[in-house]
Amino acid sequence: MAHENSYTVTGMTCGHCAASVTEEVEEIAGVRDVTVDHDSGSLTFASDEPVSREAVEAAVTEAGYQLA
């Protein structure tokens, strides 16, 4: 069963920002179909297993941004 995940990321200002977040979130085990929109700050992805907010927050922080 697929899980849909949606978060808001703050601090992104361009496509490179979104690409950095996408790259880090894609490294979380089981994550797929990552979509990041820097204009709205939206981050959505599907996962096969539940993904903790802490794991997402760590990936976003690694990219240099924060979850709202």
Side-chain angles (χ1 to χ4, degrees):
M1 175 178 185
H3 298 270
E4 294 297 321
N5 303 272
S6 184
Y7 296 92
T8 300
V9 178
T10 60
M12 295 186 299
T13 58
C14 65
H16 178 74
C17 299
S20 295
V21 171
T22 300
E23 183 177 304
E24 292 298 332
V25 172
E26 285 177 336
E27 292 184 13
I28 300 170
V31 168
R32 56 185 164 73
D33 302 329
V34 177
T35 303
V36 179
D37 178 41
H38 70 272
D39 287 329
S40 66
S42 71
L43 160 63
T44 58
F45 61 88
S47 61
D48 298 323
E49 301 292 327
V51 174
S52 71
R53 178 181 171 89
E54 291 78 16
V56 176
E57 193 160 26
V60 169
T61 300
E62 182 67 28
Y65 306 96
Q66 296 180 333
L67 288 184

